[in-house]
């Protein structure tokens, strides 16, 4: 290691120690400082690690957390970056503060922002890449799915020896021939019936002949067993697959991966994909299927933090982050599986972290909710007018519909809702603001970091 | 319901990137309040556009990749679309749809992508810049103010027969130079607005619906529909 790198690492570790002990924080600053002294420090830090990079639009955070659980079940301590700290500084900080696992094997699982993949790849040598999915997402920031995929590939192509573990149900991940070995995972649990995806879905063009793709079955959005009736382009062979889907509730899913049962303590079909990706990584790291499934089936509150259940004076309030149309649709599908009556609140902000363009709410299929069975619907947040008109158009009956701009009033209203189960769908900064209010009133501990 | 209108959603399965479907949903919503049943149908690749079959057409925007595919296919619908437009058929075109109704636009790799020359505008590209943010414009004929969100790299310049949809109050508009946003030609309304435009600006939805109604039912009395109050949504 060069003197410059050593110096940089020492400075970073010292600042982390200081921030951690005296300032109660410090996710990205130590990394920033270290990078300032030695921009190439990541190379030195990551040298002896076997590294898995996890990227894609949705599911990065949970896939990363589940993968860490799976790998730790066999190898002990696994290095990972803190949820959301998926830019370069955050990744440097993760390496600075790493502890070595009991097995002595150094493994790192890195949640990496799509645009950061090529940047990180200049300095580290990944063992494998996990590509979860690519959907339209806060397009004021990220751009189109095809350009996003090109960015990811730029990083992948720097390491043709690395394995690519890709969602085989996503057509885009089969659109370009790579020098890398590619292994696919996906769903193989349904009876085949030829169908089209709903029209308002993106990524439906066949990458080889530009006709509309058909499906033999579909899990959601443009994910499924696709094929092109014009040119024969089709879903690749799957190595890791969901072979049965036995039960889904808003809180859990029971399914089988390659015939091994998993009981996942979080709802949503999208989260099954995340568990499947973690299974695939575990298998590539030689973790036994039974060990993987056991790790995936544990109920770990820390892992499932993004979908949080709060006890509000006896009411069960489930707070869910929503940020893009496909994610939103999946959440709507999930809450529909509740067998108890529920009320609904949707909170919309449009700050930078939420996406400043609110038009994505129109691509979520609120029309699919059974509003005649939902006795109370509330809209709130800084852009409550936008979400109010969205829900009015979707058919919420006026007599069950209320609007509150300030989150203080939102919280007061939620406490009065007539059902025991309440779902609060909120954009990123609205979640933060509501959590702060809930913490101030003593319902939960601390903020989200 | 007493009146029926049929809408063509041009390439609704390919150009649907920024909540464009919201424009169709908003039209359905206001149509219902006017006692009109609005049905819609997607007209996409390899299908013909029959100008006699439709009372309204909507043409949204998409990603570069899909738009290039559409730019080739739409040449087969060109004559029928021009017939519809010249005959006074109401149409709303957003972003990529707006650009494709014109002469050409410049694609992501600097290539010229042909429009259908139904309207006289053309669109160039900016170097490494996009106009992104909230935008407010004022329509000078009606005095109405429209709110939206713009996110476009293209800069559009109107032809002689076109006038802007509104004058920019805040934001960038067509090209950041002439204070115009969008275009009006006959009964065609074009804009870069997301939001979606008709969800934020119900008055414009009403105007398009009334145009379509009067064209389809020339002898009917639509004063009740004209008097419909549009509540602010933004």
């Amino acid at each position: 290691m060069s003197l410059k790198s050593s110096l940089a690492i020492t400075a970073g570790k010292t600042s982390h120690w200081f921030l951690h002990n005296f300032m109660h924080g410090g996710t990205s600053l130590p990394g920033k400082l270290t990078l300032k002294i030695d921009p190439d420090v990541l190379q030195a830090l990551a040298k002896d690690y076997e590294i898995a990079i996890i990227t894609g639009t949705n599911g990065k955070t949970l896939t990363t957390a589940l993968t860490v659980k799976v790998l730790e079940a066999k190898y002990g301590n696994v290095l990972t970056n803190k949820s959301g700290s998926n830019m370069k500084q955050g990744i440097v900080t993760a390496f600075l503060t790493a502890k070595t696992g009991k097995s002595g094997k150094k493994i790192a699982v890195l949640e990496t922002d799509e645009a950061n993949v090529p940047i990180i790849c200049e300095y580290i040598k990944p063992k494998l890449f996990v590509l979860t999915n690519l959907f339209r997402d806060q397009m004021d920031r990220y751009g189109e799915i095809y350009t996003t995929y090109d960015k990811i590939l730029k990083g992948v192509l720097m390491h043709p020896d690395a394995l690519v573990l890709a969602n085989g149900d996503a057509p885009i991940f089969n659109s370009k021939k790579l020098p890398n070995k590619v292994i696919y995972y996906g769903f193989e649990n349904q009876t085949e019936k030829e169908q089209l995806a709903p029209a308002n879905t993106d990524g439906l063009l066949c990458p080889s002949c530009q006709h509309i793709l058909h499906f033999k079955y579909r899990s959601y959005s443009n994910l499924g067993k696709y094929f092109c009736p014009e040119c024969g382009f089709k879903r690749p062979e799957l190595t890791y697959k969901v072979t049965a889907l036995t039960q889904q509730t808003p809180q859990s899913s029971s399914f089988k991966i390659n015939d091994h049962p998993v009981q996942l303590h979080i709802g949503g079909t999208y989260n099954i994909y995340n568990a499947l990706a973690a299974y695939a990584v575990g298998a590539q790291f030689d973790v036994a299927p039974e060990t993987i499934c056991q790790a995936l089936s544990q109920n770990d509150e820390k892992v499932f933090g993004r979908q949080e259940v709060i006890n509000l004076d006896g009411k069960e309030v489930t707070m869910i982050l929503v940020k893009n149309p496909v994610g939103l649709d999946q959440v709507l599908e999930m809450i529909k599986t509740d067998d108890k009556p529920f009320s609904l609140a949707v909170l919309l902000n449009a700050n930078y972290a939420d996406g400043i363009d609110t038009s994505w709410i129109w691509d979520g299929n609120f029309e699919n909710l059974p509003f005649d069975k939902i006795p109370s619907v509330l809209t709130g947040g800084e852009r409550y007018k936008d979400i109010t008109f969205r829900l009015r158009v979707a058919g919420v009956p006026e007599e069950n519909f209320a609007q509150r701009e300030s989150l203080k009033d939102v919280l007061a209203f939620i406490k009065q809702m007539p059902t025991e189960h309440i779902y609060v769908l909120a954009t990123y900064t609205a979640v933060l603001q509501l959590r702060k209010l809930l913490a101030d009133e003593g319902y939960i501990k601390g903020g989200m970091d | 319901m007493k009146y029926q209108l049929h809408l063509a959603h041009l390439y609704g399965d390919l150009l649907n990137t920024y909540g464009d479907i919201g424009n169709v949903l908003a039209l359905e919503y206001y149509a219902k309040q006017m006692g009109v049943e609005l049905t819609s149908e997607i007209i996409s690749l390899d299908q013909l556009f029959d100008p006699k079959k439709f009372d309204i057409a909507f043409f949204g925007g998409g990603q570069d990749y899909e738009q290039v595919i559409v730019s080739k296919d739409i040449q087969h619908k060109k004559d029928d679309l021009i017939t519809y437009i010249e005959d006074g058929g109401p149409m709303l075109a957003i972003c990529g749809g707006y650009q494709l109704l014109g002469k050409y636009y410049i694609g992501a790799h600097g290539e010229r992508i042909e429009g259908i020359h139904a309207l006289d505008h053309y669109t160039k590209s900016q170097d490494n810049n996009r106009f992104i943010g909230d935008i407010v414009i004022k329509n000078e004929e009606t005095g109405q103010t429209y709110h939206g969100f713009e996110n476009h790299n293209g800069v559009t310049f109107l032809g002689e027969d076109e006038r802007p949809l509104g004058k920019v109050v805040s934001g960038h508009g067509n090209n950041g130079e002439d204070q115009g946003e969008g275009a009006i030609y006959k009964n065609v309304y074009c804009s870069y607005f997301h939001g979606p435009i008709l969800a934020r600006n119900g008055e414009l939805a009403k105007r398009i619906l009334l145009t379509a109604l009067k064209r389809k039912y020339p002898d009917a009395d639509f004063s009740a529909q004209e008097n419909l109050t549009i509540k602010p949504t933004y």
Side-chain angles (χ1 to χ4, degrees):
Chain A
M1 194 180 290
S2 72
L3 182 65
K4 198 171 160 195
S5 293
S6 309
L7 182 69
I9 291 168
T10 309
K13 283 190 172 169
T14 311
S15 77
H16 179 264
W17 174 83
F18 177 79
L19 288 166
H20 190 75
N21 288 292
F22 301 103
M23 311 297 281
H24 308 289
T27 319
S28 65
L29 185 67
K32 224 176 192 166
L33 183 67
T34 311
L35 282 168
K36 191 107 193 169
I37 301 172
D38 180 6
D40 298 336
V41 72
L42 199 49
Q43 205 160 6
L45 283 169
K47 209 169 68 132
D48 304 322
Y49 281 86
E50 288 185 40
I51 299 167
I53 290 203
I54 300 190
T55 195
T57 307
N58 290 341
K60 284 190 287 284
T61 303
L62 190 68
T63 301
T64 302
L66 289 173
T67 303
V68 168
K69 270 188 86 74
V70 163
L71 296 179
E72 285 190 335
K74 178 164 178 179
Y75 298 108
N77 244 320
V78 166
L79 183 157
T80 187
N81 46 337
K82 239 181 167 176
S83 158
S85 301
N86 57 18
M87 307 288 193
K88 195 173 169 190
Q89 304 92 288
I91 290 173
V92 169
T93 304
F95 276 103
L96 280 173
T97 55
K99 300 182 189 87
T100 312
K102 64 177 183 203
S103 65
K105 199 174 169 87
K106 287 181 160 181
I107 302 176
V109 181
L110 302 177
E111 172 189 340
T112 310
D113 187 80
E114 299 88 297
N116 263 297
V117 173
I119 299 168
I120 301 296
C121 280
E122 273 187 46
Y123 301 102
I124 62 167
K125 197 176 171 323
K127 175 188 165 85
L128 61 86
F129 293 89
V130 176
L131 312 182
T132 61
N133 49 59
L134 286 175
F135 298 123
R136 63 179 93 163
D137 181 25
Q138 300 180 16
M139 300 194 57
D140 48 302
R141 285 163 64 189
Y142 289 106
E144 312 192 340
I145 60 171
Y146 307 103
T147 43
T148 305
Y149 188 45
D150 283 343
K151 275 184 198 153
I152 294 174
L153 286 187
K154 209 175 143 199
V156 171
L157 292 175
M158 288 179 207
H159 302 282
D161 297 337
L163 172 70
V164 174
L165 279 175
N167 186 337
D169 289 348
I172 193 166
F173 295 142
N174 190 19
S175 64
K176 288 189 179 159
K177 183 106 188 77
L178 303 180
N180 305 58
K181 184 175 177 197
V182 186
I183 290 180
Y184 291 100
Y185 62 84
F187 275 44
E188 200 152 270
N189 66 316
Q190 300 176 43
T191 344
E192 298 191 356
K193 184 173 168 259
E194 188 168 336
Q195 57 187 286
L196 289 166
N200 197 33
T201 306
D202 58 356
L204 286 182
L205 275 180
C206 169
S208 55
C209 77
Q210 286 82 45
H211 284 85
I212 299 282
L213 291 170
H214 289 219
F215 292 83
K216 292 195 171 151
Y217 51 79
R218 221 165 46 81
S219 48
Y220 66 90
S221 186
N222 68 341
L223 302 181
K225 190 171 186 180
Y226 60 82
F227 70 100
C228 175
E230 298 288 327
C231 76
F233 175 79
K234 61 174 198 236
R235 184 177 78 169
E237 203 58 45
L238 304 178
T239 304
Y240 303 107
K241 41 202 167 191
V242 169
T243 44
L245 183 50
T246 30
Q247 203 197 1
Q248 286 189 281
T249 75
Q251 287 80 36
S252 71
S253 297
S254 311
F255 53 93
K256 286 182 178 168
I257 299 177
N258 291 13
D259 298 321
H260 300 284
V262 178
Q263 167 80 26
L264 188 68
H265 289 273
I266 186 169
T269 308
Y270 56 108
N271 286 320
I272 301 179
Y273 273 105
N274 298 333
L276 181 59
Y279 182 103
V281 181
Q284 288 300 318
F285 273 88
D286 299 320
V287 187
E290 296 74 22
T291 313
I292 298 176
C293 292
Q294 205 177 13
L296 293 176
S297 301
Q298 279 166 16
N299 192 357
D300 187 335
E301 271 180 34
K302 264 194 207 145
V303 172
F304 301 132
R306 283 217 168 176
Q307 182 181 318
E308 185 173 24
V309 182
I310 296 152
N311 182 330
L312 198 68
D313 305 333
K315 286 184 195 302
E316 192 184 300
V317 178
T318 308
M319 190 151 73
I320 309 172
L321 174 73
V322 290
K323 54 175 186 166
N324 54 38
V326 174
L328 171 62
D329 266 348
Q330 279 293 292
V331 168
L332 298 177
E333 285 305 308
M334 179 179 75
I335 66 179
K336 262 163 59 182
T337 61
D338 196 335
D339 51 14
K340 292 222 176 91
F342 62 86
S343 304
L344 174 69
V346 188
L347 313 178
L348 181 69
N349 282 356
N351 298 305
Y352 182 72
D354 306 294
I356 55 175
D357 180 0
T358 60
S359 55
W360 63 276
I361 59 175
W362 290 87
D363 288 318
N365 286 312
F366 284 104
E367 279 76 6
N368 287 348
L369 283 180
F371 287 116
D372 51 332
K373 291 191 203 128
I374 304 176
S376 174
V377 177
L378 173 73
T379 47
E382 291 153 17
R383 300 300 281 271
Y384 75 102
K385 287 182 184 168
D386 282 321
I387 189 65
T388 297
F389 187 63
R390 174 70 192 95
L391 289 180
R392 191 162 276 147
V393 167
V396 177
E398 286 304 321
E399 61 273 21
N400 300 341
F401 197 13
Q403 299 86 36
R404 298 287 184 272
E405 182 173 3
S406 98
L407 292 195
K408 230 185 158 98
D409 297 340
V410 164
L411 188 55
F413 191 93
I414 290 174
K415 288 178 184 171
Q416 307 300 320
M417 280 178 152
T419 53
E420 206 176 296
H421 283 191
I422 296 163
Y423 292 94
V424 178
L425 277 41
T427 57
Y428 189 73
T429 65
V431 169
L432 293 187
Q433 291 162 5
L434 191 63
R435 286 195 100 255
K436 185 168 185 313
L437 280 179
L438 288 163
D440 290 348
E441 295 192 18
Y443 290 105
I444 56 168
K445 271 185 262 163
M448 187 159 83
D449 57 13
Chain B
M1 274 186 252
K2 201 170 166 191
Y3 303 105
Q4 275 94 34
L5 293 174
H6 195 45
L7 176 143
H9 188 175
L10 296 169
Y11 303 97
D13 50 357
L14 295 175
L15 306 185
N16 51 25
T17 306
Y18 294 98
D20 281 320
I21 190 73
N23 288 313
V24 179
L25 294 172
L27 280 173
E28 280 172 16
Y29 175 82
Y30 288 116
K32 210 166 159 186
Q33 295 188 0
M34 292 179 165
V36 177
E37 186 192 4
L38 182 85
T39 50
S40 71
E41 180 181 346
I42 288 174
I43 299 294
S44 190
L45 301 178
D46 303 324
Q47 288 172 296
L48 288 175
F49 172 82
D50 179 355
K52 288 191 201 65
K53 196 174 164 191
F54 298 103
D55 311 303
I56 302 180
F58 172 64
F59 195 4
Q63 309 191 75
D64 292 328
Y65 178 65
E66 278 91 357
Q67 275 184 201
V68 170
I69 310 290
V70 168
S71 71
K72 291 174 188 150
D73 182 87
I74 198 170
Q75 303 305 332
H76 304 294
K77 303 179 178 62
K78 176 179 171 172
D79 294 343
D80 287 331
L81 283 166
I82 291 175
T83 304
Y84 175 82
I85 289 168
E86 289 300 321
D87 194 39
M91 184 187 281
L92 175 68
I94 301 296
C95 212
Y98 170 20
Q99 295 172 350
L100 284 168
L101 288 185
K103 292 177 175 164
Y104 66 89
Y105 74 93
I106 302 297
H109 309 290
E111 74 280 26
R112 176 181 158 127
I113 294 165
E114 229 30 57
I116 59 166
H117 296 250
L119 276 64
D120 271 340
H121 56 265
Y122 60 93
T123 303
K124 296 201 223 170
S125 62
Q126 309 177 65
D127 290 333
N128 295 313
N129 188 43
R130 290 182 81 83
F131 291 148
I132 302 179
D134 289 316
I135 173 164
V136 180
I137 61 170
K138 193 166 181 173
N139 180 292
E140 295 191 310
E141 295 144 60
T142 61
Q144 288 164 358
T145 299
Y146 300 141
H147 294 262
F149 184 93
E150 59 181 336
N151 181 358
H152 55 110
N153 165 270
V155 280
T156 298
F157 299 89
L158 300 189
E160 264 184 29
D161 292 340
E162 298 173 275
R163 55 195 197 279
L165 175 64
K167 193 177 169 187
V168 175
V169 178
S170 65
H172 298 280
N174 282 337
N175 48 46
E177 292 170 24
D178 60 19
Q179 277 87 53
E181 201 294 319
I184 301 177
Y185 171 74
K186 295 198 173 215
N187 289 323
V188 180
Y189 300 88
C190 301
S191 174
Y192 275 113
F193 274 32
H194 308 149
I197 188 168
L198 299 185
R200 293 259 177 91
N201 306 288
E203 291 293 347
L204 188 57
K206 180 177 161 184
R207 189 163 159 187
I208 292 170
L209 287 165
L210 280 170
T211 307
L213 284 170
K214 288 176 184 169
R215 184 166 169 264
K216 183 166 183 186
Y217 303 99
D219 302 322
D221 171 20
F222 289 112
S223 48
Q225 282 78 3
E226 303 221 24
N227 289 329
L228 176 76
T229 315
I230 302 288
K231 290 186 197 127
T233 60
Y234 181 75

